[in-house]
């Protein structure tokens, strides 16, 4: 539990933080050269093939496709992990889970979060004179000092974890609502949890819960409004000689289930729910991009990507995953999607947009990762990387500006809830080759879990010839024998480096008393913004 001083601090900041106009967009230093703004948009559970620019069968991403035509599209871009918290921790630190201490998801009752000795991208830019904002999903700890307002974000509006981690009155597709409160003196269904079986999903503005349970059907538009307001206020401050540049990080709820029921009923001709949700997400991104274009077009770098591949429920929702559905994966059982290190769970859509800086209508084949966002943005902002730690991401500026074609030579895909230990590095990418030391263990659409398979020597696929990972190389072939020593050397080198690094360990303990609740005297945790 928080110490008395921290509790007082939380109350005080909460009172002030809920008033959006009090966010300080001024900078009391000397006039300096104008720095670029950054907008990072992270989709949730979006498949590579959900982007129309990647997969012709997708017809629901007109705004994103336009952004691709006006900027750079990456076709070999990867999540840093295949689940939510590890991927977000890697984005904000530039470090894999074995270094930053976040190998799996945090819960509603989690005491801890992203370790406090890890430095976030927001903290680095904040120190460099940026005003920083987070709109949307956080999922890196909500209790005490793990809250976004204490991790470098001047402004926060969103939910503390995934929107399926709590009940709502407008739950959406495949997610039950909060049970109604009993009336007329009748006893509640569960005396210990009052009106509902799950904690109601909270919506925060800074440290204050402004709505619980959140109305999911209106959340997308609220995110759009708050994001555009943040950009507008930051841009207006530019008119003073000492105005501040901004970092806006938008963590979308799309395409994670549940999907809004409002979308389903509003769809003409009975369009599929996944398609409708894609169009809603695309509209939200379009509104943010339009605001950037109107206010700070030539000095704002917009980066769109995803946290990991689609969840298995996507099969029920009739979404596509593009070309990454190999026969080898399906033979083992389970799903080639979220939580696995197959391409369907790890390769994600990615776009870079910066008029006059990033080339127009360019497709990059560079091997890049969500890990690269941290060092790239730090470099472009003219800031310095935190000292005393090693980073797994690279500065991709030369690729972004069309001056280089290559990204990583070696990239690691950590285990993320399927086969193997969480965070372990048992899938290795070396140029066009991908090696698996463990596979399987994933949950399929019918709820079954496939067996876990260990491979020594590893399975190796040539992705240039077999992007679906359908047929591994013959272990006796000359190609396999040539690649195997490179894979082993790369894995040995990174493990040795991690062993000598300044690593962190997250507190994954749980305590029901830290569950977010807007009304401590009402265990149903119900409140609505005035």
């Amino acid at each position: 539990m928080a110490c008395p001083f921290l509790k007082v601090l939380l109350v005080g900041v909460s009172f002030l933080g809920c008033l959006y106009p009090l966010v300080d967009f001024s900078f009391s230093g000397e006039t300096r050269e104008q720095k670029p703004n950054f907008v990072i948009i992270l989709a949730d559970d979006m498949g590579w093939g959900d982007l129309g620019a990647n997969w012709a069968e997708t017809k629901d991403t007109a705004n994103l496709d336009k952004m691709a035509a006006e900027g750079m599209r990456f076709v070999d871009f990867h999540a840093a992990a295949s689940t939510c918290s590890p991927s977000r921790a890697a984005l904000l630190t530039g470090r894999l889970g074995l270094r930053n201490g976040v190998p799996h998801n945090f819960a509603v009752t989690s005491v801890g979060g992203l370790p406090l000795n890890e430095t976030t991208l927001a903290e680095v830019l904040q120190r460099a004179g940026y005003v920083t904002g987070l709109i949307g999903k956080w999922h890196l700890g909500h209790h005490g000092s793990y809250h976004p307002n204490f991790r470098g974000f001047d402004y926060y509006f969103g939910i503390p974890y995934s929107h399926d981690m709590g009940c709502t009155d407008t739950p959406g597709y495949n997610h039950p609502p909060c049970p109604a409160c009993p009336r007329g003196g009748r006893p509640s269904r569960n005396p210990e949890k009052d009106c509902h079986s799950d904690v109601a999903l909270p919506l925060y503005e800074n440290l204050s819960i402004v709505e619980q349970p959140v109305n999911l059907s209106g959340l997308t538009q609220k995110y759009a409004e708050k994001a555009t307001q943040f950009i507008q206020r930051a841009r207006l401050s530019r008119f003073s000689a000492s105005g501040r540049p901004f970092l806006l990080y938008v963590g979308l709820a799309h395409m994670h289930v549940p999907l809004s029921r409002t979308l389903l009923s509003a769809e003409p001709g009975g369009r599929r729910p996944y398609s409708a949700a894609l169009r809603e997400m695309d509209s939200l991104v379009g509104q943010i991009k339009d605001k950037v274009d109107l206010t700070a077009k030539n000095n704002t770098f917009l980066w769109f990507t995803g946290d990991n591949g689609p969840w298995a429920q996507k099969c029920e929702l009739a979404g596509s995953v593009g070309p990454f559905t190999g026969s080898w994966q399906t033979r083992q059982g389970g799903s080639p999607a979220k939580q696995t290190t197959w391409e369907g769970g790890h390769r994600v859509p990615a776009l870079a947009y910066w008029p006059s800086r990033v080339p127009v209508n360019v497709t990059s084949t560079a091997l890049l990762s969500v890990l690269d966002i941290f060092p790239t943005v730090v470099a472009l902002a003219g800031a310095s990387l935190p000292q005393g730690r090693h980073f797994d991401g690279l500065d991709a500026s030369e690729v972004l500006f069309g001056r280089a074609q290559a990204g990583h030579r070696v990239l690691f895909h950590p285990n993320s809830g399927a086969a193997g230990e969480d965070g372990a590095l048992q899938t290795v990418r070396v140029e066009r080759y991908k090696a698996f030391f463990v596979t399987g263990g994933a949950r399929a659409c019918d709820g079954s879990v496939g067996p876990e398979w260990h491979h020594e020597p590893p399975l190796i696929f040539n992705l240039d010839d077999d992007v679906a990972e359908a047929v591994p190389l013959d272990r006796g072939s000359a190609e396999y024998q040539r690649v195997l020593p490179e894979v082993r050397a790369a894995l040995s080198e990174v493990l040795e480096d991690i062993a000598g690094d300044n690593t962190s360990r997250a507190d994954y303990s749980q305590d029901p008393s830290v569950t977010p609740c807007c009304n401590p005297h009402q265990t149903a945790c119900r409140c609505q913004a005035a």
Side-chain angles (χ1 to χ4, degrees):
M1 298 300 292
C3 64
F5 170 77
L6 181 57
K7 287 183 179 179
V8 173
L9 179 63
L10 285 171
V11 172
V13 176
S14 178
F15 174 74
L16 293 175
C18 66
L19 302 177
Y20 184 88
L22 293 182
V23 177
D24 184 8
F25 289 90
S26 65
F27 183 65
S28 57
E30 296 179 0
T31 302
R32 57 186 62 189
E33 183 180 352
Q34 193 178 55
K35 295 181 177 182
N37 307 305
F38 300 99
V39 177
I40 300 168
I41 303 177
L42 188 71
D44 198 339
D45 288 11
M46 182 180 181
W48 187 91
D50 290 339
L51 177 65
N54 285 344
W55 196 244
E57 294 180 14
T58 301
K59 308 295 184 183
D60 303 300
T61 58
N63 290 293
L64 285 167
D65 296 344
K66 183 173 183 288
M67 189 188 305
E70 296 175 347
M72 183 174 289
R73 177 173 63 101
F74 302 95
V75 293
D76 202 357
F77 197 94
H78 293 263
S82 297
T83 45
C84 300
S85 294
S87 190
R88 283 160 175 73
L91 185 156
L92 290 175
T93 65
R95 288 154 56 84
L96 287 166
L98 289 182
R99 300 188 198 268
N100 65 38
V102 182
H104 58 88
N105 285 343
F106 293 104
V108 175
T109 55
S110 286
V111 173
L114 177 66
L116 300 178
N117 59 315
E118 290 290 323
T119 304
T120 70
L121 176 61
E123 290 170 322
V124 173
L125 265 62
Q126 199 175 54
R127 294 167 189 166
Y130 279 71
V131 62
T132 57
L134 165 60
I135 309 293
K137 174 178 170 179
W138 171 238
H139 212 170
L140 290 175
H142 56 270
H143 177 59
S145 297
Y146 298 100
H147 187 279
N149 284 137
F150 298 118
R151 305 313 303 270
F153 289 100
D154 297 306
Y155 179 71
Y156 170 52
F157 183 87
I159 55 177
Y161 29 70
S162 292
H163 65 300
D164 63 339
M165 296 173 66
C167 68
T168 75
D169 294 329
T170 55
Y173 182 89
N174 200 30
H175 194 60
C178 294
C181 291
R183 295 181 179 180
R186 291 184 290 110
S188 59
R189 301 196 320 167
N190 185 336
E192 294 182 359
K193 294 187 176 181
D194 200 15
C195 299
H196 51 79
S197 57
D198 295 312
V199 174
L201 186 66
L203 176 65
Y204 278 84
E205 184 158 29
N206 293 319
L207 294 169
S208 297
I209 296 176
V210 295
E211 186 178 315
Q212 191 174 17
V214 63
N215 183 340
L216 290 179
S217 65
L219 188 58
T220 299
Q221 192 53 39
K222 289 178 181 176
Y223 282 173
E225 291 170 358
K226 294 296 184 179
T228 54
Q229 287 171 13
F230 181 89
I231 294 170
Q232 181 67 25
R233 287 186 57 80
R235 175 55 184 161
L236 288 175
S237 73
R238 290 283 199 182
F239 292 113
S240 65
S242 57
R244 297 175 67 181
F246 66 86
L247 164 69
L248 175 61
Y249 169 36
V250 182
L252 301 178
H254 304 76
M255 297 298 298
H256 202 296
V257 293
L259 305 179
S260 171
R261 280 182 177 158
T262 302
L263 282 170
L264 309 189
S265 59
E267 276 301 294
R271 287 177 63 90
R272 297 177 298 181
Y274 200 88
S275 176
L278 264 178
R279 292 196 296 113
E280 183 183 57
M281 180 198 69
D282 182 70
S283 174
L284 169 57
V285 175
Q287 291 178 65
I288 295 173
K289 178 180 176 292
D290 287 346
K291 175 57 71 171
V292 166
D293 286 345
L294 286 172
T295 58
K297 182 173 184 177
N298 293 321
N299 199 43
T300 301
F301 175 33
L302 197 158
W303 204 329
F304 174 90
T305 188
D307 70 337
N308 50 247
W311 183 238
Q313 286 139 306
K314 189 172 179 181
C315 329
E316 304 171 21
L317 299 173
S320 69
V321 293
F324 311 121
T325 314
S327 60
W328 183 267
Q329 305 160 43
T330 55
R331 284 203 304 271
Q332 295 184 81
S335 167
K338 183 175 180 175
Q339 297 186 328
T340 77
T341 56
W342 298 108
E343 293 295 280
H346 226 273
R347 192 182 294 214
V348 291
L351 304 172
Y353 172 76
W354 191 353
S356 77
R357 297 296 301 276
V358 171
V360 174
N361 199 21
V362 170
T363 298
S364 172
T365 59
L367 178 59
L368 295 174
S369 165
V370 167
L371 288 159
D372 305 325
I373 293 175
F374 183 100
T376 302
V377 170
V378 169
L380 293 173
S384 299
L385 291 172
Q387 298 299 304
R389 65 199 65 193
H390 300 169
F391 296 89
D392 298 292
L394 56 79
D395 176 4
S397 301
E398 293 298 295
V399 176
L400 290 171
F401 300 146
R403 297 194 288 262
Q405 301 299 319
H408 292 266
R409 177 181 176 272
V410 175
L411 192 63
F412 299 94
H413 301 341
N415 300 342
S416 297
E421 181 181 352
D422 286 341
L425 305 180
Q426 294 176 302
T427 303
V428 185
R429 175 79 181 268
V430 178
E431 295 176 336
R432 66 182 181 275
Y433 295 99
K434 188 173 173 186
F436 293 84
F437 288 88
V438 60
T439 57
R443 190 172 73 193
C445 291
D446 62 3
S448 63
V449 177
E452 183 173 305
W453 301 87
H454 291 259
H455 310 281
E456 183 52 59
L459 299 174
I460 299 180
F461 296 86
N462 182 336
L463 297 184
D464 278 359
D465 300 332
D466 182 17
V467 72
E469 299 164 301
V471 181
L473 297 177
D474 185 334
R475 289 188 172 99
S477 68
E479 185 178 19
Y480 184 95
Q481 295 300 321
R482 176 176 56 80
V483 174
L484 181 59
E486 297 183 37
V487 169
R488 294 198 187 279
L491 183 57
S492 176
E493 182 178 343
V494 74
L495 292 177
E496 182 178 353
D497 183 72
I498 291 172
D501 192 11
N502 180 12
T503 59
S504 303
R505 183 180 295 272
D507 177 3
Y508 276 102
S509 62
Q510 297 190 34
D511 184 342
S513 68
V514 306
T515 301
C517 187
C518 61
N519 186 347
H521 303 294
Q522 181 184 2
T523 55
C525 297
R526 283 185 174 270
C527 63
Q528 299 296 322

